Amino acid sequence: MMWLGEQLLGYGKIIQPEEIKQSLSEVRATQIRAAARDFFRPDRLNLALVSPLKSEQKLGRLLLV
């Protein structure tokens, strides 16, 4: 029911699973790379890390900093 609700709210209609599968099969690697270039920009990358390690130095070595 949640999926149906998301379809109605997001698209104003129910999109059949077969239609979604067809649309996904038409996506090409070049389109994915282009989208990744838009979303993942080196000047905008951030990292959040939770670790049981007590020393920053140990974390730095793990991250190759």
Side-chain angles (χ1 to χ4, degrees):
M1 293 308 295
M2 188 171 202
W3 182 80
L4 292 173
E6 289 172 356
Q7 294 287 310
L8 284 172
L9 289 173
Y11 303 105
K13 65 177 185 172
I14 303 296
I15 301 173
Q16 296 301 313
E18 297 78 24
E19 186 179 346
I20 293 171
K21 287 179 189 178
Q22 179 63 36
S23 295
L24 289 173
S25 70
E26 293 171 2
V27 175
R28 300 291 165 235
T30 55
Q31 294 170 303
I32 294 171
R33 281 192 289 274
R37 277 192 295 277
D38 289 340
F39 285 104
F40 302 111
R41 305 207 25 202
D43 58 323
R44 297 169 128 189
L45 292 178
N46 293 296
L47 173 69
L49 179 66
V50 177
S51 169
L53 298 176
K54 303 292 182 205
S55 166
E56 287 179 28
Q57 294 169 339
K58 289 181 182 179
L59 289 172
R61 286 195 305 265
L62 289 172
L63 298 171
L64 302 172
V65 174

